[in-house]
Each structure stands twice: as C-alpha cells, then as structure tokens.
Amino acid sequence: MDSEIIVQDLELRSLIGFDGNPLNGLILHPDGVHLVYPLGTNIAAYNWHTKAQRFFEGHTNVISAVTVSSSGQYVGSGQVNYMGFRSPIIVWQFDTGQLVAKYESHKVRVESVAFSSCENFLISLGGVDDGSVIVYDIGKREVLCGSSSVKSTAGSATVLQPVHTRGECFVVAGDNILRLWTLNREQRNIQGLDGSFAKIKRKILCTIVDRLDEYAYCGTSTGDVMKIKLNFSSDTAVVAPTNAPTLVGCFAKYPPAGKNKRGTSAAAAVELYSKGITALYLVADGTMLVGSGDGVVELVKQKARGTCSKPDSTRLATPTRPLLVAVKSANVDSSVTSIQLMADGIVLVGTVNCELFAIRAHDFDVTCLFTCHTSVVYDLAFPHGYSKVFATASKHDVRVWSVDTLQELLRITVRNFTCSGVLFSYDGAQIVTSWNDGNIRIFSPETGRLLYAINNCHNKGVSAIAMSKDGRKLLSGGGEGQVRVWQVDNLNGALQAVLKEHKGPVSSIDVHQLGHEAITASADGTCVVWDIVRFTRLSIMFSSTIFTSAKYHPNGAQLLTCGTNRYIGFWEALDGSLIREIEGSSASALNSLDVTPNGKYIVTGSSDQMVKVWLYNEGVPTHVGVGHAGVVTNVKVSPDGRFVVSTSADGGIFLWRFPHAADTAPPGSRCSANSVGGGGAGSLREQQTDRSRQLSLKKTLPARKENIKVISKVQKVRTATDCSRQTAASTVGGDGNATETAVDGSVKCLCRRGSTCVCCDHSAGGRKIKPFVR
C-alpha cells in the first residue's frame, strides 16, 4: 500500500515589487543592510548587498502597518481584517524569523504600529472602526493598557510616532489632533495631553520627532510643516512633559524670486507643497527630506528668520510662514509614503504606486529599484523554452520581468485600456497582446516597438489569445463568444475563419503542440475542441460551471479544465468524454491551471488565495503556497520546471520554488511521432522546415531581429533612452523612468518641457520622438 502523502508548504523563493500603501511601510533596518517592507500577506527583508530576500509569514490579509525596533531586534506588523473581526498584530525576531507574539486587540484595521525606544512595548493604533490606542508588553506577552484615541472636537488619528529618549512616551496625530501620551506601567494606564493649535486647523499626515525630543515636525494636507514643541524636561529621568505640546508655527518654503503675489508682503508669501506633505525625514546635519503628494522629494534647510515688524494682523489670515529653503529636488511622479536615508548617501523613497526609488544625495539622480502592478494581473506568459524572463498583462500596460534580478526590463503602455492577454511567439521575436478595445497589438521584445496591430478583432474586446507553434496562426476569443483564426506574418494579420459556438466570453485558449487543433473555454459552461485546419468543431464538453482555464496535457492525450465549481476536470482529447474530476478547492473557484513540462504535476491558483501543486496521476495535492493578499489570477510553471510564478488581483507577483525534481522532457505524444521531444525523423524534418523558412525570410527581414532571449538584465524600464536633465528635478531617470511607451509602441518622452534630452528632436518647437537605439 502506498504511503500517505503529506501536504507541505510551498517554499516562497522571492517577491516582485513592494506595497507602498502603508505609511512608512519601507523601513531601513538599523544594520544598514536590510530593507523591510510588506507585500501581500508577507513582510520581506531585502539584503541590499546580496539582493537576497527573507520572509516573515503569518498574516492572513493585507498588511497595513510595519515597524522595526530601534536596535533591529524585533519586527512588528498589523493587518486589515473583515468587518466585525479583530485584526492580528504579530511580533517577530528579526534574526531568526521566529514568531515572538501574536495578539488581537483592534477591530477591522490596524492603522499604525511602533516599538517604544526601550523596546519593552509595542504600541498600536486602530483605524476608524476601532478608535483606540493599545500598549502591549513584549516581555510579559500581554496587553498592558489601552485608551480611546478619538477626540470629540477632531477627526480620526492615523499617525503614531514614539519619542527617542523616553520609552514611556509617544505621539498620536491625525485630523486636527496631536496628543502626547505617557505610560504609567505600575497603574497600567496611559494619560494624554492634547496639543494646542489655537484657531489653526490642520490634518496631519506624517510626524517625525527630533533626536532630543524637543520638537515634533508634522506634515499636513495643507502642504506646510507644523513645528510643535513637546515641552519635555531637560532631565531625561523625568518622563512626563512639563506642559502640553504647543505650536511654534506652520512653515513652508520661501517662494522663488519674483513670484510673490501682488499685494502680499515678502514675509507672508509662501510656497506650499501640492497635495500635502506625506513623508518627512530629519537628517543629522539639521536638514530635512520632504516628500509630497504630487511626487516631489526635496532636501530643505531652515532659514534663519529675521524679526517680523508685524506679528499680528496677517497671522490668522495667513498662518503659514516661510522658513524652508529647497536645496535639492527630484520628482517620482506619485505620492510619497516612505523616506529612508542610507549611510552611503542613498535616499530610498517608496510611493503609493508601489514603486521604490533610490536617489543619490549629492545630485538627486533618481533610479527605480522596485516596481510592480497596482491592479489585477490578467495574464502571465513565459517565452518558449526560456525561463529567465516572463511577461505580465494588467491595466494600462504589459511588463517584462527578469527572474534573476526581479527587475522590470520592459514596460509597454497603452493608456486607458486593459491588456487581457499576453504571449511570446515561439521564436521569441514578438510579444503578442490582446486588449479590451478589441485590438491585438504585436510588439518587439527588446524595445517595445509596435510591429503591427490587428484592429477591430472583436466588438466586445479580446478576452483570450493563443498562437500556434509555427507562428502563422493566431487565435483570439472575444467577449461576445466568437473564436477567430488569423493568418499572421511579420507585417500584418488576415482573418481566416470565424468559429461560432460559445454563448459567453471566451476565457482561455490553448493550441495543440502539433498546431492542428485547439481548445477554447467559455463562461457559458462549455469547452470546445476545434480543428483549426478545416475550421470545424471536433467535440464539445459541458459542465455546470464557468470555465476559467483549459489546457492540453503535454502528451496530447488528455485535456484539463478548471472553473468556478471548484473541480479539476480530466477529459479525453479524442472525443471529449469526462474521465474524472477532483476537488481543487474546498470553498473557492479555481482561476488558473498549468501543467509541468514533464506532465507529472499540475499547479492551480484559486480565489482562496492559495497556490497548489498536484500529482497528475494520483490527483492529490503535495504542496500548498499561502501568501497572496488577493485572488490568485494566474499560475505558470517555468519552462525549466524549477519554479512557479503566480499573480493575484492586488498586483502581487510571487515566485515559488518548485518542490519536485525538474524533469523537463515531456512524454511522447500518442497522436503523432512528430511531437516535440519525440526525436527521430519528425524532429529532423521540423528543423529543416524551420531552417528553410528562415532562409526564405532572410531577404525581407532586417539584419538584426529582436529576440526576448537576448534581452539585457539591465534593460532600461519603459524602453528609455539616456535622457539628460538640466536640473535635478527635470526628469526621473535611472532604470528608464524618463520615458514610456505610447499607444503606438513608440517611445514617448516624459522629460519636462524646456529641458534638452537625446530622445526628442526639439527642432521647430516640436517634440518628435527619435527611434530607440541600443
């Protein structure tokens, strides 16, 4: 009797991207080497030198707050939970990754967490549905005390910041509220002192306290900085402040010369930060890094203020006074949520668009380190026989990623449209994409240049695409249920046939490896096997489900399907009869399915946010991967069979280590001796055919043909050229953030008007785009 199979955890190899939504979610560990940040339900510790990742696992939903203790010993985090449930807070040991404590004290959402400076306590702030602040004793593993963070005359509190010299004190701030709390450990309570703002109303978005605990600097939605005196005693042994926090003033930048408004005195004229100040960082030399809602990152210093002859009449009318002078500036194009400074002068900036930038402090040159999708990933594809890169399709764009460096190599952007499908041609020379505007666009794999487009393919958008191995036939499925076969070459596509059978949107298409037939799955509960040579239906399969995926087994003998009925279906390829069904999920729909190259294993992704590896013959799971914070939309096994890539509805991309031995040689097909890997005369005849085709096309093709297999590991993102800039803020450079691909696939320059760059021809006042040159 066979031994019982034990389901194990699927090992997470790496994550692509980072979640920039939590305030101060990007943290530089005190060792100066590791970056700590959330993505999905995991927290990643990224080694800056070795580029290796470690993960802290334990959350069940999206992580909303992250913190690291002052010595780096602990990592703490809180999450979002469903309405009516309490949200867990977890504390880990950083070095070992061991879980130290886990408790639930807040309802629905944890807004912010922070360790006290003495590292004895973890302080947490609840969201709008909770409205409380909790102090947890790490040593005793118990909740010490708590209190309401809501003020009757103010809005909700969203910012939590501990002080540096007193472990029992911390600051909570938010909408027209700033409260300095003091913990009394013996009496197990906390007492708060409200800061006095007089008649000034401000919504505080971020707070930072100086090292001596003299002042707190608060970034506001108005676009200025509130400077607040905390009124602590000079004796650090005295814990409680002598008075309530008092407002020193609201300060902003001095306006550029000659830009004062008419009728406004120079003392009162200020320049506010657009969309508010969302991140602050105090530098040791007294300067300050400021991040704003419109993506501006500036290094500012405080200018000595002269005596004001009128302290009076304009004070309430214009409470913001000029104090800051911008020294250096850059722009990262989206709201800044985190700022950290490394010892070697690198400024790390995290944005709400889930992008991580590195800015050199001496010249404020910007480089993109991490980026990821911010919306649903609809499709995922590997090049044939090449596992170093893969492509993903999402709203507005298609991206190509490097498996080794986890970097974005290419971004093809089509504004205001959603890419529903992506695939590589068999020879790797084309990226074929389908869009919800009903068009199919084919791009070059290295530069992202538009090769050609097939317009008006389907009147309700193209929902699925597939291509034959010889690259001559392209199949597309539409939202109206039609399947169309296109004859394609390097310049255009011609319609060959329209196959009408489905009554609902086509969700998946897979072409047989011999290229003579294909299977299509639809939301109407049918899967159809088509003869794409004679353009007739061979067989049809019915089920009470919405089919989400259909695949040929590598040997061509069986078909695999999955759908909303939670079952994996095994069908006979010859006549479409059902062989067996196995339950793929206990409660949720199966959204994607893939088969390993050797045909021994199946990988599935489901709406319960799980990735599972199954034995094909036995029909039992061997490994389960948990970590996605959204519905798993796609799973793919790499061509070399070494890892699995999965994508989710929140934009996350996970790389899992495949748990079984990589054996990529597929079994021989029972359908024909000419199958891939079958060897013999069929393989030789196929190679001769490919060679003759290449020779026949040699006269018409350019001397160098782009291929995805030779794409550089340091390829510029968004097909960028090397754009120079006159000022530090003129553009975002580095890994290609200066340019992006326009609707037609050409390179669109994003350099500011008035600057000089090599990607644009500025003659005659125009902005003519020059072609990309490698």
Side-chain angles (χ1 to χ4, degrees), residues 525-642:
T526 63
C527 285
V528 179
V529 178
W530 304 94
D531 186 329
I532 56 176
V533 177
R534 296 177 298 168
F535 308 117
T536 59
R537 188 188 77 186
L538 296 178
S539 60
I540 186 169
M541 295 160 280
F542 296 94
S543 181
S544 57
T545 183
I546 296 176
F547 283 112
T548 55
S549 182
K551 292 280 185 183
Y552 278 98
H553 189 269
N555 65 8
Q558 292 184 359
L559 304 170
L560 297 171
T561 62
C562 66
T564 56
N565 64 349
R566 305 179 287 108
Y567 284 90
I568 303 172
F570 296 74
W571 308 79
E572 182 65 47
L574 188 62
D575 57 1
S577 60
L578 180 63
I579 301 173
R580 61 171 174 167
E581 283 185 327
I582 59 175
E583 187 179 29
S585 174
S586 60
S588 301
L590 298 179
N591 300 319
S592 183
L593 175 146
D594 197 21
V595 189
T596 57
N598 58 18
K600 295 180 180 179
Y601 307 99
I602 309 171
V603 181
T604 59
S606 54
S607 296
D608 57 5
Q609 305 172 5
M610 291 185 182
V611 177
K612 294 183 180 180
V613 179
W614 303 75
L615 291 174
Y616 181 84
N617 292 328
E618 291 80 357
V620 294
T622 62
H623 292 76
V624 176
V626 179
H628 282 286
V631 171
V632 179
T633 55
N634 295 278
V635 290
K636 282 288 189 299
V637 182
S638 63
D640 60 9
R642 298 181 182 275

Side-chain angles (χ1 to χ4, degrees), residues 10-13 611 625-626 643-644 646 654-658:
L10 197 60
E11 181 185 354
L12 183 61
R13 171 182 168 178
V611 177
V626 179
F643 58 91
V644 177
S646 60
F654 285 46
L655 278 74
W656 311 87
R657 200 176 305 279
F658 194 73

Side-chain angles (χ1 to χ4, degrees), residues 84-120:
F85 294 88
R86 293 188 178 273
S87 299
I89 297 174
I90 303 179
V91 180
W92 289 278
Q93 195 82 23
F94 178 79
D95 293 333
T96 63
Q98 182 180 1
L99 193 144
V100 176
K102 182 176 182 179
Y103 63 98
E104 298 178 356
S105 298
H106 297 285
K107 298 177 182 178
V108 184
R109 178 185 176 91
V110 178
E111 195 68 44
S112 182
V113 291
F115 288 99
S116 61
S117 59
C118 60
E119 298 189 5
N120 293 326

Side-chain angles (χ1 to χ4, degrees), residues 251-331:
F251 304 105
K253 292 187 297 182
Y254 279 90
K259 288 194 176 182
N260 292 347
K261 295 182 179 179
R262 182 175 297 179
T264 305
S265 64
V270 295
E271 182 179 354
L272 300 174
Y273 285 92
S274 178
K275 299 183 181 180
I277 295 176
T278 54
L280 291 172
Y281 186 91
L282 289 176
V283 188
D285 59 1
T287 57
M288 184 189 306
L289 289 165
V290 179
S292 68
D294 64 346
V296 173
V297 180
E298 289 187 335
L299 178 67
V300 299
K301 64 179 181 179
Q302 299 183 29
K303 184 178 180 180
R305 300 174 60 208
T307 58
C308 182
S309 58
K310 295 182 180 180
D312 57 321
S313 58
T314 60
R315 186 171 183 181
L316 293 181
T318 57
T320 303
R321 314 297 295 177
L323 178 68
L324 307 176
V325 178
V327 180
K328 296 175 182 177
S329 179
N331 196 313

